[in-house]
Amino acid sequence: MTSKFHTLISCILCVLIAGPAAVAQQNITISTDHCALVYQIDTNRQLQQIYIGTKLISQAAYRDVNADFRNENPTLGMGFPTGGATYLNEPAMEVQHADGNMSLVLNVEHVQVKKINDDITRTDIQMKDPVYPFWITLHFESYAKEDVITTRTTIHHNEDAPVILDRFASAFINIDWNNPYLTHFYGEYEKEMEMSTAKLQPGIFSIQSKLGVRTACNYNPSFFITPQQAVKENEGAVFAGTLAYSGNFNIQFEQLQLNIDMGNSLRIIPGINAYASHYRLQRGEVFETPKFVFSYTQKGLGQISRNFHRWAINYGIYNGRQKRLTLLNNWEATYFDYNQDKLVNLFDGAKKLGVDMFLLDDGWFGNTYPRNNSSAGLGDWQANKKKLPSGIGYLSRQATAKGLKFGIWIEPEMINPSSELYKKHPDWVLAAPNRPKHLYRTQLVLDLINPAVQDFVFGVIDSLMQQAPSIAYMKWDCNRSMDNAYSPYLGKEQNALYIRYTQAYYKVLDRIRKKYPDLQMMLCASGGGRVEYGALKYFQEFWPSDNTYPVDRIRLQWATSIFYPALTICAHVTAAGRESLKYKMDVAMSGKLGFDIDVQKLSSDQLALARQTVDNYLQYQPVINYGDLYRLVSPYTTNFSSLMYVDSTKSTAILFAYSMETMQQDTWPEWKLYGLDPQKSYRIKEINLPDSVHSSFKEDGRVFSGESLIHQGLKWFLKRKEQSAVFILEAI
Ligand code: DGJ
């Protein structure tokens, strides 16, 4: 051992000994209550990942895992491999130094462990190139109770000229399963969050975005890996991760098979997509990558979801504990065709439903270029005088007078060429100067990198809040991706465009949050194009899709629920679909309930049922929003679906059940209520029924032991297609 290495180890021990998890050993253990990621530093001061999986009782046990094999194969679990030197597979980092040298070596310099509170421990591993004044630090946060770990990287240097960052991952995770299966979520407009599962073949597979904004439109930056094809809800190993980033991302999976040095292993490399973004890092500048958020369990996908949901509510989303607002939105009821009187009448509809808020959608602005369809007005955020002569302030006061909160739609990053804003600032758009402008939905993206545009976008929100301080909610839309991307503001530095845009987006959101901490905001991007945790740090919830057909929604909400909790998933009842109003409401109630209908068109019976459903939702909202989700019957493998939320004391549960397509060739599904307390007894009662209708569930009102509900289950009773039922289970 060199004397340098002695110094390094003693320094690490010092720091580790100072930390609470300190033991006089050389493992760097990043652990939660049930899982652990463990590193060691080898004799070359390289970071080695020696373990990921279930938390073990002793530190020594981590060192025993594969120890012999590892000693013979020093590159087995490279912790953060770099390009241009000796590692020849897909690296985590690649740079071009100021002198043009493309090689990077990272030696561990310093490890710091700090317990922030009972739940969070921070571990920073700082590494440096032995030849160049170039540093990176891996920052881990482990959330003990949630069983979630986050990791991100910061990079800086003191070289004479800028260093080009060609690749800059947020993490590098090794998993040594022989035949891993990857599930990821792909999609398109109205087909978001389709799940795809496949065995990873030897080679590199990636899910990525080059869309700039609306980045999750084709792939969500989330995935899970299992050691076998069929993932189970209640048992089995699952590793799951998501990148919290609102710009271009790239998550690579390199599956090595029969590799002489490294055996069979999977490397997961999540980070910003370097596509058109080889970042010039100035001396002294600190570059920060987004967080990669992950969890591991042996208890199946359901446990993974509950881990992510708890982490999200406690840390990942904006104001996780703020009560979410049920609402009536006018988009699908009116589209652009409305005026002040019509809106005030719609307020009465919201009142009749009993929801918390009225949300005014697209079409309220633009005068010289009125927003009567999607081709004009974006950028001119003044109320249209013809439609709304008394302005937004008046509307929000009317809503307040009727006991409703008021929300409003905006799309502040976008511009129609038919707008006063465009005539005034033609240079405020992202568009290649020497190419024809490529419009999408007749609009362009504003050059948010320009500080003047940032002020303008902030001003859209600020000025609305000045005119109507009682605005409680904004739906922030984003209806195109970037193409021909060129920022007039950046001039010759176009390779910074995608990254600087995302930084600018966060900067504006930071300003908004500082000034308007209680404002509720919905993330929308032609539906689910911005569903990811980078933006959710600023937003309470999201609109997962413009597809509101209830059967499609059952699947979409199920897939979305794997990573995102119910209180973030806006689910609106609309005219889409020929299913009954009850069915639509029962589906929407399992997310964050809203309506997008013309209430006047409801019969009095329908209205009474809708009112009852809203009242039930408001009563059980804490269970749906903060309870534990148990997915019971999968709409992906059967023609049925059932899920249940259980409160933290397992005293109250709300159970949803749906049948979907024709069932001629089907068997009835097993309906076991995993998640209840086996020691308790529960009375089961159907809700959301019209006054004169009795439950067709034979056991309605009966008391069952938790044990029998878990192990024996209930008899499935929705035997015709498109039937639904919602039950409350109360412990007695
Ligand atoms: C797309 C959104 O997904 C819709 O809900 C609606 O707000 C429209 N934009 C308005 O233009």
Side-chain angles (χ1 to χ4, degrees):
M1 232 188 250
T2 63
S3 60
K4 254 187 176 171
F5 186 60
H6 272 300
T7 323
L8 165 82
I9 290 295
S10 47
C11 157
I12 292 164
L13 288 178
C14 261
V15 180
L16 284 177
I17 284 164
V23 280
Q25 292 181 9
Q26 294 154 24
N27 291 349
I28 305 167
T29 304
I30 296 147
S31 62
T32 65
D33 282 353
H34 300 102
C35 66
L37 168 66
V38 185
Y39 293 101
Q40 272 182 7
I41 301 150
D42 70 15
T43 47
N44 297 318
R45 298 169 66 178
Q46 300 278 298
L47 188 69
Q48 297 286 344
Q49 183 200 311
I50 63 162
Y51 181 82
I52 188 161
T54 301
K55 185 180 185 172
L56 306 181
I57 295 166
S58 84
Q59 287 292 326
Y62 294 126
R63 283 203 298 275
D64 294 342
V65 186
N66 287 335
D68 290 345
F69 189 48
R70 215 171 39 240
N71 290 339
E72 285 161 26
N73 303 281
T75 45
L76 179 63
M78 292 295 289
F80 205 73
T82 49
T86 55
Y87 183 82
L88 298 179
N89 289 97
E90 207 66 357
M93 279 284 295
E94 276 179 289
V95 306
Q96 184 172 2
H97 293 283
D99 64 3
N101 191 325
M102 300 285 293
S103 76
L104 179 66
V105 174
L106 291 174
N107 290 348
V108 178
E109 269 205 325
H110 188 67
V111 179
Q112 202 178 352
V113 181
K114 199 170 170 197
K115 198 159 165 66
I116 306 299
N117 55 37
D118 275 357
D119 199 29
I120 307 175
T121 303
R122 218 171 260 163
T123 306
D124 291 341
I125 304 175
Q126 184 177 297
M127 300 184 275
K128 181 184 174 298
D129 191 302
V131 178
Y132 291 92
F134 183 93
W135 291 264
I136 82 148
T137 306
L138 307 181
H139 304 269
F140 297 88
E141 278 180 357
S142 54
Y143 298 85
K145 295 189 193 87
E146 293 77 10
D147 276 322
V148 163
I149 298 173
T150 67
T151 170
R152 70 194 160 90
T153 312
T154 50
I155 308 161
H156 73 283
H157 71 88
N158 260 336
E159 299 189 23
D160 298 339
V163 171
I164 316 280
L165 306 182
D166 286 328
R167 174 190 285 264
F168 27 92
S170 292
F172 189 93
I173 305 284
N174 299 269
I175 295 188
D176 62 354
W177 291 338
N178 274 353
N179 291 303
Y181 279 79
L182 167 73
T183 301
H184 69 89
F185 306 85
Y186 69 95
E188 240 308 338
Y189 178 64
E190 294 199 332
K191 296 183 191 70
E192 296 88 341
M193 294 301 271
E194 291 284 329
M195 276 201 274
S196 158
T197 302
K199 183 168 179 280
L200 280 164
Q201 300 299 321
I204 298 176
F205 179 80
S206 85
I207 48 176
Q208 55 164 288
S209 165
K210 301 192 189 80
L211 303 175
V213 276
R214 226 171 51 149
T215 185
C217 216
N218 298 142
Y219 300 96
N220 196 269
S222 311
F223 66 90
F224 62 88
I225 311 265
T226 49
Q228 74 292 320
Q229 183 165 17
V231 63
K232 294 201 173 127
E233 282 293 322
N234 304 321
E235 57 183 345
V238 188
F239 175 90
T242 184
L243 189 74
Y245 189 58
S246 312
N248 292 345
F249 63 86
N250 189 8
I251 305 178
Q252 288 179 300
F253 304 86
E254 179 162 32
Q255 169 66 5
L256 300 174
Q257 215 115 331
L258 301 175
N259 188 289
I260 289 193
D261 290 332
M262 294 174 260
N264 302 337
S265 78
L266 168 66
R267 279 94 210 278
I268 303 168
I269 320 169
I272 294 177
N273 193 344
Y275 164 75
S277 299
H278 298 273
Y279 195 85
R280 284 164 68 81
L281 185 68
Q282 305 295 327
R283 180 186 179 137
E285 180 185 350
V286 179
F287 185 86
E288 187 173 345
T289 72
K291 278 185 182 163
F292 176 60
V293 186
F294 65 92
S295 184
Y296 170 87
T297 187
Q298 293 274 13
K299 292 188 178 162
L301 192 60
Q303 189 59 50
I304 283 288
S305 296
R306 292 186 286 280
N307 294 350
F308 271 94
H309 295 175
R310 274 197 214 132
W311 173 83
I313 290 167
N314 293 338
Y315 306 104
I317 57 176
Y318 190 75
N319 277 0
R321 298 277 162 190
Q322 188 177 12
K323 183 198 170 302
R324 274 32 181 184
L325 301 168
T326 55
L327 59 87
L328 175 67
N329 183 201
N330 69 309
W331 177 242
E332 294 199 22
T334 65
Y335 294 101
F336 295 96
D337 179 22
Y338 55 80
N339 59 34
Q340 192 162 291
D341 294 340
K342 201 165 172 182
L343 290 179
V344 174
N345 278 335
L346 290 176
F347 292 175
D348 292 331
K351 251 345 255 180
K352 284 184 195 151
L353 288 172
V355 292
D356 300 305
M357 179 174 67
F358 180 81
L359 169 62
L360 172 59
D361 215 285
D362 195 354
W364 58 266
F365 50 90
N367 285 294
T368 315
Y369 301 93
R371 181 77 171 168
N372 292 326
N373 52 54
S374 62
S375 69
L378 273 182
D380 300 346
W381 297 102
Q382 298 78 34
N384 178 283
K385 295 205 170 93
K386 218 163 143 201
K387 284 184 187 169
L388 307 175
S390 313
I392 294 300
Y394 167 82
L395 274 183
S396 80
R397 283 193 299 278
Q398 286 299 307
T400 311
K402 290 184 189 269
L404 288 168
K405 295 196 187 298
F406 183 72
I408 194 161
W409 178 96
I410 52 172
E411 195 182 2
E413 298 154 274
M414 300 285 158
I415 181 166
N416 289 126
S418 295
S419 66
E420 290 175 51
L421 184 71
Y422 188 76
K423 308 298 167 217
K424 205 165 150 200
H425 295 292
D427 57 333
W428 273 15
V429 297
L430 291 181
N434 46 1
R435 302 194 191 278
K437 291 203 172 39
H438 183 236
L439 301 181
Y440 182 92
R441 213 192 189 211
T442 352
Q443 67 195 56
L444 292 163
V445 185
L446 284 173
D447 183 2
L448 195 63
I449 302 158
N450 182 341
V453 176
Q454 292 169 22
D455 288 344
F456 170 82
V457 171
F458 172 77
V460 173
I461 289 91
D462 198 32
S463 122
L464 277 168
M465 293 305 289
Q466 303 301 324
Q467 289 165 55
S470 59
I471 289 178
Y473 188 96
M474 289 193 192
K475 175 179 179 182
W476 182 314
D477 210 340
C478 173
N479 285 305
R480 70 161 292 169
S481 310
M482 288 179 191
D483 56 24
N484 271 340
Y486 178 97
S487 153
Y489 181 79
L490 283 177
K492 292 215 164 101
E493 296 289 327
Q494 295 301 318
N495 58 357
L497 186 149
Y498 289 108
I499 291 173
R500 292 275 298 275
Y501 186 98
T502 310
Q503 289 170 345
Y505 174 57
Y506 293 149
K507 210 163 151 192
V508 172
L509 289 167
D510 276 327
R511 271 172 85 181
I512 293 167
R513 278 316 180 193
K514 212 158 163 212
K515 191 155 180 192
Y516 301 108
D518 298 328
L519 178 67
Q520 300 224 21
M521 294 208 290
M522 177 208 262
L523 255 180
C524 177
S526 319
R530 268 184 166 170
V531 175
E532 53 79 29
Y533 279 111
L536 279 169
K537 239 174 67 198
Y538 302 95
F539 288 80
Q540 279 86 346
E541 57 198 38
F542 55 80
W543 181 233
S545 181
D546 273 2
N547 183 343
T548 51
Y549 283 86
V551 168
D552 291 345
R553 272 290 179 139
I554 289 172
R555 291 202 179 91
L556 190 139
Q557 289 169 199
W558 176 282
T560 308
S561 81
I562 293 171
F563 281 89
Y564 305 94
L567 81 168
T568 60
I569 306 174
C570 298
H572 296 181
V573 175
T574 72
R578 59 195 149 71
E579 295 82 354
S580 67
L581 178 71
K582 170 177 167 55
Y583 190 84
K584 293 176 182 181
M585 292 192 296
D586 287 352
V587 172
M589 192 178 171
S590 71
K592 201 223 76 176
L593 179 67
F595 291 81
D596 210 328
I597 51 170
D598 185 346
V599 179
Q600 279 177 335
K601 290 192 180 147
L602 299 182
S603 68
S604 58
D605 286 351
Q606 284 179 318
L607 185 61
L609 183 62
R611 178 73 200 216
Q612 193 206 125
T613 304
V614 172
D615 289 347
N616 285 334
Y617 185 82
L618 292 172
Q619 184 178 349
Y620 294 103
Q621 191 175 7
V623 184
I624 298 169
N625 287 185
Y626 302 116
D628 284 325
L629 169 66
Y630 292 86
R631 287 180 295 255
L632 307 174
V633 178
S634 169
Y636 278 84
T637 51
T638 71
N639 271 326
F640 312 91
S641 179
S642 177
L643 46 94
M644 179 171 71
Y645 298 95
V646 184
D647 75 347
S648 59
T649 58
K650 295 195 186 284
S651 309
T652 305
I654 179 160
L655 171 67
F656 296 88
Y658 315 102
S659 64
M660 300 188 307
E661 324 291 341
T662 168
M663 288 165 267
Q664 270 162 8
Q665 323 239 309
D666 264 316
T667 50
W668 308 123
E670 268 191 356
W671 200 17
K672 295 184 174 170
L673 308 195
Y674 190 87
L676 296 175
D677 182 345
Q679 315 285 344
K680 290 192 163 93
S681 290
Y682 296 89
R683 184 180 305 284
I684 181 164
K685 188 92 204 91
E686 186 170 359
I687 59 167
N688 293 0
L689 285 171
D691 278 346
S692 51
V693 174
H694 292 295
S695 172
S696 56
F697 180 58
K698 290 206 183 75
E699 321 279 9
D700 193 49
R702 269 193 61 187
V703 174
F704 293 90
S705 73
E707 207 172 17
S708 86
L709 290 170
I710 293 168
H711 297 291
Q712 204 174 351
L714 294 169
K715 278 253 171 287
W716 189 262
F717 76 109
L718 301 174
K719 297 192 173 168
R720 288 203 312 277
K721 68 176 183 174
E722 291 157 13
Q723 290 182 310
S724 62
V726 181
F727 297 93
I728 299 299
L729 288 100
E730 295 283 3
I732 54 164

